[in-house]
Amino acid sequence: MIIRTKNLNKVYRTDEVQTTALNDLSIEINQGEFVSIMGPSGCGKSTLMNILGMIDSPSSGEYFFMENEVGGLSERKRSDVRKNNLGFVFQSFNLIDELTVFENVELPMMYTKVPSAERKKRTEALLEEMNMMHRRNHFPQQLSGGQQQRVAVARAIVNNPKLILADEPTGNLDSANGDDVMKILADLNSKGTTIVMVTHSQYCAEFGNRIIRLLDGQVVTENVVRQFL
Amino acid sequence: MFNNNLKVGWRNLKRQPFLTFLNTFGLAIGMAGGLLISLFIYDEFSFDQMFPDADRIHRINVDIKFGGQDGEYAVVASPLAEIVLDYSQVEMTTRFRTQGSMLIKKPDAALNVKELQTTFVDSSFFEMFGLELLEGDTKTALRNPNSLILTKTAAEKHFKINEAVGQNMTLNNSEAYIVTGVIDDLPENSFLRNHSVFMAMSGYEDSRSTEWGSNNYNTFIKLTPTADIESFQEPLQAIFSKYLVPYAQRFMPGLTEEAFKASGNYVNYSTMPLTDIHLHSSRIADISPNSNIQNVYILSFIAFFLILLASVNFMNLSTAHSLKRAKEVGIRKTLGSNKFSLIKQFLTEAGLISFLSLLLALVVAFLAMPFFNELSGKELSIPFFNPIFWLLLVSVAAVLGLFSGSYPAFFMSKFAPVKTLKGGGQSSVGGGGIRNMLVVFQFAISVFLIVSTLVVFQQLNYIQSKDLGFTKEQILIVDDVYGAGNQVQTFKQKVQQLALVKSASLSSFLPTPSSRSDDGYKIQGVNEQDNNLQMQSWRVDHDYVSTLNFEIIEGRDFDQKYGTDTSSIILNESAIAVMEKSAKEALGMKVVRNFQNEEEEVLTVIGVVKNFHYESLKDDIGALSLSLGDGAAKMSVKLNGGNLSNTISSIEKAWNEVAPGQPFNYYFMDDSFNETYQAEERLGRIFIIFTFLSILIACLGLFGLAAFNAEKRTKEIGIRKVLGASVTQITYGLSVDFLKLVGIAIFIALPLGWYAMNSWLEDFSYRIEIPWWTYVLAAFLAVMISIITVSFQSIKAAIVNPIDSLKTE
């Protein structure tokens, strides 16, 4: 089991209002699964993703990543777990504007201290695979949305993460580009990478093998997707 | 990773040229100013350090209060040196008896050369200061009377260096000397700078005198390597009881040490390390004019704050613009970067800016150096070839980069990725409180400097326009008239006959600070101990009072009609105040000059002259007397206006008739007067320039913040405009917050300025009271400058079409 949460709660407090984003949420995700998380705006999808991605911590409850409790780890420890095990794909791509395509993809390996020659080899191989090699020295603003998301995906997987967290990866893309990205993710999953994806699109959700629906911070249904691939 | 940081840093700088410009330019100005001032201060502290045993050399000072007068002297009596030489702590002593300027030539030469600073000096001179001769033998060079040594530059005016030794020279057209050595020119940062002729003390008769009454010798001691100066103080103090008291009893029978001290009098000897003299000595008869440690402190303060201001700018602008970096921080953190590596990233960028600024600062400092030298009166240069300089420079840039970058780095590395990644950015950046504080800090310093500048200039103006008790305008001074020998009276008559000359007077002394001469006086027939007055004795001629326009408030001026006037004297108000007489009582009174030795003479008071300023306005007016005498060095010529250059060439013609071949030197008295306040004037100019720079830096910061603020509120401005707000309302809304900060700054700075400038003014005996409008003007200037700075950005934002500003979302 790669992910197991037990009674996760996340409460946001402002001066007057208290909002419960996650409410006693318990889920389990196995190694090699491709799970899609769906639900209306404000149901807690992004909060869940942030907690699963260890860039936010729960108000209460437990989060076991690869059977280790990580909910209560320090920022430094979480950062270590994150860089060695996780890859992120965002709706708004979140490439660093000051870095070239090549450098964006290379960046996670610098944080994991991969030697320079190895970095070059892996980056080039991935860019080749994503069909982005001819754009290696361009800056993000010089690319189309689809190209940017392919770079972002390349960056997410360059460290061979065990888990990819994708937050509406196709949200800013047209359907052709969206399809491309979904196929890449499905392909990765077929090679063994666990994927957790938030999406509004039923079409995209069905690329996965399980759909978790959230409402008001709770799981309402879980269904197994009919495998058609 | 470092390369990556550097690369990203560089790209960031390029992507935000406006911000980069503000940061780099501000820091560069701060650094350039700091660099120039540091070189200045380094030079000030380097004085006299070049002498090999400088740490063992001390000068003996004396503070005297006696006969209603007090003074702090850099000179002591002639016999003191020989006495302290017997003390176990003292290895050797050297005395200087400075002579000011002299005319020097080879006996057969037609023309004299004027050397500005000459002195008699003991033969231990070379050993004391570790000096080598280029030509001649240090052991014998200053042994015999009438031998002298010249500096290289002075010698080269007459002969080749290697032919100098053994040559005959004539000083002041009369005294015959032999050149016994040539010494290298003395460094600009030594107390002997500008001194070019050193004559053997053995030829100066007074140097063997056993008189304790007159203090004329700058006396230096060198301690033995093991001695410590503290153990020397007690035997030094004992000189008073052992030698001065018995000496004084010779002409004041019955004087006891106890009675002397009981009436508040004192003679206190002290020592001052050679290397302290330049910054800490402002005594009567210092060998060379000295600086003031206070000015060094003021400059250090300015340099420090200039750099701090620039650094604060950097912090402010970086944190304000960090909104743009928030997304990057979020991504990096998500990808596994920890806080520490983000801090490294931002510090690298700060370091990069710091080094870019350093390069720019070096260029600016290099270009500004000639102006700064003129301003400071020094000959400084950037030590480009000194590795230590570079090491220091690079360290300073690194420290400054770290310091300036630290707050933005910690501030930005704290951004939470959850917030910054949502929608690609974080809606607001914090740190506003600290930014506001920094703006207040910057403007407080600027307001403080504005107040200081205004006060310095008002005081200078006050000094220059103060009624000095005489007329300094339209007075031409012909210098070194002794060059005319016995023809000097003929010269005076010739000048007096010129059409545009009102009057002319020969004297050795002028009411501008220069060399002085004082004698002991007492009232005849009174035998009290306190009846003793040390005062200025100026030998003048009959036309002195009328030429300089002094006011006789009681009695009369010297007059040719009275043959007895050769034994008459005119006193100033301070003198009769010390004697506790009114002006009327003083008239006809008989005073004895030099009552303590054979030169004693009795003089009758014929007039009282209104006090006039003859020292710096920093000092009170001391007791002074005028009497008739010869041996004049200067002729004062009162002009009638008219064609100046014609008059001067007529005077020069007259001079050449009576003194062919002698240099004709002249200057105007008001110029010489202004030189007295050169230090203050320099300070004033330095203040103005650095005040301007600090305001410029503060404005750069404010400008950047206003731009940021306007940008951040683009959408809000658009909505407000759609809802009907006018340009004025929006401009006001954008500017008013900044003005509040400037208001707080003024509130803080004015009391500080009031306090600091009153302390500075305390140094002057004659000073202004700071008028209230100084503070109002400073506040007004600060507000106006900030309004102009801020409103430029605010108006720019306010006049944008709301359609455009709303589109940015």
Side-chain angles (χ1 to χ4, degrees):
Chain A
M1 190 154 309
I2 191 160
I3 287 173
R4 181 161 60 89
T5 73
K6 217 172 136 189
N7 302 332
L8 274 190
N9 282 292
K10 181 71 183 180
V11 180
Y12 294 105
R13 284 191 185 83
T14 60
D15 286 345
E16 289 120 29
V17 199
Q18 179 170 317
T19 317
T20 305
L22 297 179
N23 188 0
D24 276 342
L25 187 127
S26 303
I27 54 169
E28 292 181 349
I29 296 171
N30 287 315
Q31 201 116 30
E33 267 195 294
F34 187 157
V35 176
S36 303
I37 296 172
M38 298 190 75
S41 287
C43 69
K45 302 187 298 285
S46 292
T47 305
L48 177 61
M49 287 297 267
N50 288 337
I51 291 173
L52 294 183
M54 288 171 249
I55 52 181
D56 202 354
S57 46
S59 307
S60 67
E62 290 166 312
Y63 171 24
F64 295 90
F65 181 75
M66 299 173 71
E67 303 302 337
N68 295 311
E69 158 63 41
V70 292
L73 290 182
S74 69
E75 165 58 28
R76 206 187 174 92
K77 288 262 171 54
R78 283 193 287 167
S79 154
D80 278 345
V81 177
R82 204 157 60 215
K83 68 186 176 197
N84 290 313
N85 300 295
L86 301 189
F88 290 87
V89 181
F90 303 94
Q91 176 180 4
S92 50
F93 324 132
N94 279 338
L95 297 174
I96 294 180
D97 294 338
E98 287 72 30
L99 298 182
T100 62
V101 164
F102 185 93
E103 288 159 353
N104 263 294
V105 176
E106 187 192 25
L107 188 61
M109 291 187 286
M110 299 183 93
Y111 293 126
T112 50
K113 305 226 162 27
V114 176
S116 164
E118 172 73 11
R119 290 204 303 263
K120 187 161 182 280
K121 208 178 90 193
R122 270 155 68 174
T123 308
E124 281 174 353
L126 266 177
L127 286 178
E128 203 70 68
E129 204 179 315
M130 297 289 167
N131 200 16
M132 287 299 296
M133 200 53 186
H134 60 300
R135 297 283 199 171
R136 56 176 291 170
N137 290 324
H138 286 70
F139 286 95
Q141 304 96 307
Q142 299 167 308
L143 306 178
S144 72
Q147 288 172 326
Q148 287 193 47
Q149 196 60 303
R150 291 215 296 278
V151 176
V153 173
R155 186 180 65 181
I157 62 180
V158 74
N159 265 340
N160 300 318
K162 300 187 175 58
L163 171 67
I164 288 178
L165 295 166
D167 193 350
E168 300 202 36
T170 60
N172 280 3
L173 301 177
D174 60 40
S175 58
N177 276 314
D179 255 12
D180 277 354
V181 168
M182 286 316 301
K183 279 177 188 153
I184 296 169
L185 290 178
D187 188 39
L188 282 169
N189 179 242
S190 69
K191 288 173 187 157
T193 311
T194 313
I195 294 177
V196 178
M197 175 178 76
V198 163
T199 182
H200 276 118
S201 141
Q202 183 67 30
Y203 171 74
C204 288
E206 287 177 0
F207 275 82
N209 37 38
R210 179 151 64 105
I211 296 175
I212 296 175
R213 287 182 199 277
L214 298 185
L215 187 65
D216 295 337
Q218 288 174 311
V219 177
V220 284
T221 56
E222 278 191 64
N223 27 21
V224 177
V225 175
R226 184 168 33 88
Q227 293 295 315
F228 53 83
L229 278 173
Chain B
M1 202 49 148
F2 179 70
N3 281 343
N4 182 271
N5 287 347
L6 213 55
K7 195 163 58 190
V8 174
W10 178 244
R11 285 181 196 155
N12 257 313
L13 300 190
K14 280 202 303 191
R15 258 166 52 90
Q16 304 191 38
F18 177 63
L19 180 67
T20 306
F21 166 76
L22 288 182
N23 272 336
T24 317
F25 187 62
L27 266 183
I29 288 177
M31 284 178 172
L35 175 63
L36 290 176
I37 294 180
S38 302
L39 288 172
F40 177 90
I41 292 171
Y42 177 78
D43 186 69
E44 288 286 278
F45 279 108
S46 74
F47 267 74
D48 299 318
Q49 302 278 3
M50 73 293 289
F51 296 115
D53 295 323
D55 55 327
R56 287 200 277 141
I57 303 175
H58 299 256
R59 188 185 67 196
I60 299 180
N61 299 324
V62 64
D63 298 352
I64 301 175
K65 179 162 191 262
F66 188 43
Q69 295 269 79
D70 54 9
E72 298 176 342
Y73 298 87
V75 282
V76 294
S78 143
L80 187 137
E82 208 181 319
I83 286 166
V84 296
L85 193 55
D86 286 341
Y87 293 179
S88 62
Q89 296 92 339
V90 178
E91 188 173 296
M92 67 178 80
T93 63
T94 302
R95 295 171 302 165
F96 293 85
R97 176 71 171 102
T98 55
Q99 298 295 300
S101 67
M102 279 196 174
L103 300 174
I104 179 168
K105 62 172 193 161
K106 288 202 277 189
D108 51 349
L111 282 175
N112 264 308
V113 172
K114 182 177 182 176
E115 293 297 339
L116 291 172
Q117 300 293 345
T118 65
T119 182
F120 286 100
V121 65
D122 283 321
S123 59
S124 55
F125 175 51
F126 305 105
E127 214 188 328
M128 170 75 89
F129 295 99
L131 296 168
E132 298 289 336
L133 281 173
L134 301 174
E135 295 291 328
D137 180 2
T138 53
K139 290 200 175 58
T140 56
L142 288 169
R143 187 183 291 166
N144 297 321
N146 296 69
S147 53
L148 63 77
I149 62 163
L150 297 170
T151 59
K152 191 163 163 261
T153 304
E156 277 170 342
K157 292 174 189 167
H158 307 276
F159 20 67
K160 290 201 183 100
I161 301 285
N162 56 8
E163 294 167 2
V165 172
Q167 297 267 3
N168 291 314
M169 302 295 293
T170 307
L171 296 192
N172 285 348
N173 290 327
S174 56
E175 298 142 49
Y177 273 84
I178 296 177
V179 180
T180 51
V182 178
I183 195 170
D184 218 336
D185 291 339
L186 290 147
E188 273 300 307
N189 54 348
S190 79
F191 75 105
L192 288 172
R193 64 187 175 283
N194 304 331
H195 283 72
S196 50
V197 182
F198 298 85
M199 297 156 292
M201 188 68 89
S202 53
Y204 190 68
E205 188 165 340
D206 181 66
S207 70
R208 288 182 293 279
S209 142
T210 51
E211 260 248 33
W212 286 90
S214 56
N215 298 302
N216 287 316
Y217 294 82
N218 295 98
T219 302
F220 290 83
I221 58 163
K222 186 191 271 185
L223 298 177
T224 60
T226 51
D228 102 78
I229 190 70
E230 283 313 310
S231 69
F232 176 69
Q233 303 300 338
E234 210 181 296
L236 182 65
Q237 285 302 337
I239 287 178
F240 172 68
S241 327
K242 208 165 160 192
Y243 298 93
L244 266 82
V245 172
Y247 166 78
Q249 281 165 346
R250 294 214 304 255
F251 46 88
M252 279 188 272
L255 174 98
T256 63
E257 189 177 340
E258 291 70 33
F260 177 83
K261 286 184 175 159
S263 49
N265 295 317
Y266 53 78
V267 175
N268 290 331
Y269 288 103
S270 60
T271 57
M272 177 173 259
L274 171 65
T275 48
D276 278 4
I277 290 176
H278 180 66
L279 288 174
H280 297 274
S281 178
S282 57
R283 292 176 162 265
I284 298 165
D286 267 310
I287 289 186
S288 289
N290 290 322
S291 289
N292 184 337
I293 189 78
Q294 197 195 2
N295 289 352
V296 171
Y297 289 146
I298 291 176
L299 283 175
S300 314
F301 168 86
I302 293 179
F304 176 74
F305 278 105
L306 208 55
I307 294 177
L308 196 61
L309 280 180
S311 183
V312 162
N313 253 6
F314 180 89
M315 292 185 198
N316 254 357
L317 293 173
S318 304
T319 53
H321 282 77
S322 61
L323 194 58
K324 290 182 171 162
R325 306 293 300 274
K327 185 181 123 186
E328 182 193 333
V329 171
I331 300 169
R332 284 179 181 272
K333 281 196 163 178
T334 311
L335 294 180
S337 170
N338 55 33
K339 220 166 116 177
F340 183 61
S341 59
L342 280 167
I343 288 174
K344 272 197 296 195
Q345 161 82 41
F346 289 118
L347 285 183
T348 310
E349 281 175 35
L352 199 60
I353 289 212
S354 185
F355 277 96
L356 279 180
S357 309
L358 179 68
L359 291 181
L360 189 59
L362 276 172
V363 175
V364 171
F366 180 74
L367 295 177
M369 193 55 102
F371 305 100
F372 184 73
N373 277 337
E374 207 181 312
L375 196 71
S376 62
K378 285 194 184 287
E379 285 171 30
L380 303 173
S381 60
I382 299 177
F384 281 118
F385 300 105
N386 184 342
I388 295 174
F389 167 74
W390 285 105
L391 195 70
L392 271 172
L393 214 58
V394 169
S395 328
V396 168
V399 168
L400 206 59
L402 280 180
F403 175 71
S404 314
S406 56
Y407 173 63
F410 287 102
F411 176 78
M412 288 194 269
S413 63
K414 276 198 301 206
F415 286 162
V418 180
K419 287 186 193 147
T420 58
L421 292 178
K422 190 113 184 184
Q426 136 159 0
S427 54
S428 69
V429 271
I434 291 185
R435 267 202 300 284
N436 288 346
M437 245 169 61
L438 293 176
V439 169
V440 168
F441 172 73
Q442 284 188 316
F443 268 81
I445 290 177
S446 299
V447 171
F448 176 82
L449 287 173
I450 295 175
V451 170
S452 310
T453 309
L454 289 173
V455 172
V456 170
F457 273 84
Q458 285 178 73
Q459 173 69 13
L460 278 179
N461 189 39
Y462 169 78
I463 288 172
Q464 272 152 3
S465 56
K466 184 167 188 333
D467 177 16
L468 300 164
F470 62 94
T471 308
K472 65 179 190 296
E473 287 78 23
Q474 298 264 1
I475 304 270
L476 180 89
I477 308 292
V478 182
D479 215 351
D480 313 316
V481 290
Y482 42 72
N486 52 15
Q487 290 294 298
V488 66
Q489 287 298 338
T490 320
F491 174 56
K492 180 180 165 187
Q493 281 153 21
K494 277 175 183 280
V495 170
Q496 277 174 323
Q497 280 155 18
L498 294 172
L500 290 170
V501 170
K502 265 189 187 160
S503 65
S505 163
L506 288 163
S507 69
S508 289
F509 305 99
L510 292 171
T512 49
S514 60
S515 58
R516 296 271 169 250
S517 160
D518 57 1
D519 289 311
Y521 285 82
K522 67 177 198 174
I523 302 171
Q524 194 183 39
V526 182
N527 268 329
E528 284 165 30
Q529 250 175 48
D530 254 9
N531 172 28
N532 182 306
L533 164 65
Q534 201 72 19
M535 78 173 152
Q536 294 288 314
S537 287
W538 291 12
R539 269 62 161 197
V540 300
D541 66 4
H542 287 90
D543 301 305
Y544 191 69
V545 171
S546 59
T547 302
L548 293 172
N549 219 5
F550 295 122
E551 190 188 337
I552 301 282
I553 55 169
E554 199 66 55
R556 61 173 178 86
D557 187 9
F558 300 114
D559 197 324
Q560 304 274 15
K561 282 190 301 196
Y562 302 92
T564 54
D565 269 2
T566 46
S567 56
S568 296
I569 192 166
I570 296 175
L571 302 178
N572 76 348
E573 290 174 292
S574 294
I576 60 169
V578 175
M579 294 172 174
E580 294 173 347
K581 304 279 182 204
S582 71
K584 281 208 165 58
E585 288 167 348
L587 283 191
M589 195 168 70
K590 298 230 183 293
V591 295
V592 190
R593 172 155 66 199
N594 288 326
F595 61 91
Q596 68 274 50
N597 57 33
E598 309 85 56
E599 289 168 41
E600 177 174 306
E601 52 186 319
V602 180
L603 301 159
T604 310
V605 179
I606 57 158
V608 175
V609 64
K610 189 173 162 49
N611 267 352
F612 57 88
H613 288 278
Y614 62 92
E615 299 274 18
S616 162
L617 266 75
K618 283 186 169 177
D619 305 314
D620 288 318
I621 299 173
L624 176 138
S625 68
L626 304 174
S627 53
L628 293 174
D630 299 327
K634 298 167 195 294
M635 185 164 81
S636 318
V637 185
K638 187 193 228 170
L639 304 174
N640 236 340
N643 188 325
L644 203 59
S645 59
N646 273 354
T647 313
I648 293 172
S649 58
S650 304
I651 296 173
E652 184 169 8
K653 197 165 144 255
W655 173 258
N656 286 333
E657 281 166 21
V658 300
Q662 304 302 326
F664 176 69
N665 298 316
Y666 72 92
Y667 59 88
F668 286 92
M669 195 158 155
D670 43 3
D671 291 343
S672 143
F673 173 82
N674 290 340
E675 275 170 26
T676 310
Y677 302 103
Q678 224 174 22
E680 281 74 27
E681 206 157 321
R682 277 191 187 135
L683 187 68
R685 279 185 292 172
I686 288 178
F687 253 114
I688 252 206
I689 288 180
F690 286 98
T691 303
F692 172 76
L693 288 183
S694 76
I695 293 172
L696 179 69
I697 292 175
C699 283
L700 281 178
L702 199 60
F703 190 74
L705 278 185
F708 158 75
N709 193 38
E711 188 185 314
K712 196 177 70 176
R713 293 168 69 175
T714 306
K715 185 180 166 195
E716 176 203 327
I717 294 166
I719 295 171
R720 283 177 187 272
K721 282 190 85 172
V722 170
L723 295 178
S726 70
V727 171
T728 321
Q729 281 166 329
I730 288 172
T731 307
Y732 174 80
L734 285 171
S735 311
V736 69
D737 287 342
F738 287 114
L739 292 180
K740 279 184 199 155
L741 299 180
V742 174
I744 297 172
I746 290 170
F747 191 70
I748 294 171
L750 290 186
L752 290 177
W754 173 84
Y755 177 77
M757 290 325 285
N758 271 307
S759 317
W760 180 74
L761 284 171
E762 266 168 25
D763 219 19
F764 291 85
S765 295
Y766 300 87
R767 48 161 285 190
I768 53 162
E769 285 305 317
I770 305 175
W772 59 269
W773 57 260
T774 305
Y775 306 109
V776 177
L777 183 61
F780 175 75
L781 283 174
V783 170
M784 281 316 289
I785 291 167
S786 49
I787 284 182
I788 293 167
T789 309
V790 171
S791 59
F792 178 79
Q793 290 294 348
S794 305
I795 293 172
K796 201 175 105 186
I799 56 179
V800 170
N801 186 331
I803 307 290
D804 293 334
S805 44
L806 289 177
K807 246 197 287 189
T808 62
E809 271 299 295

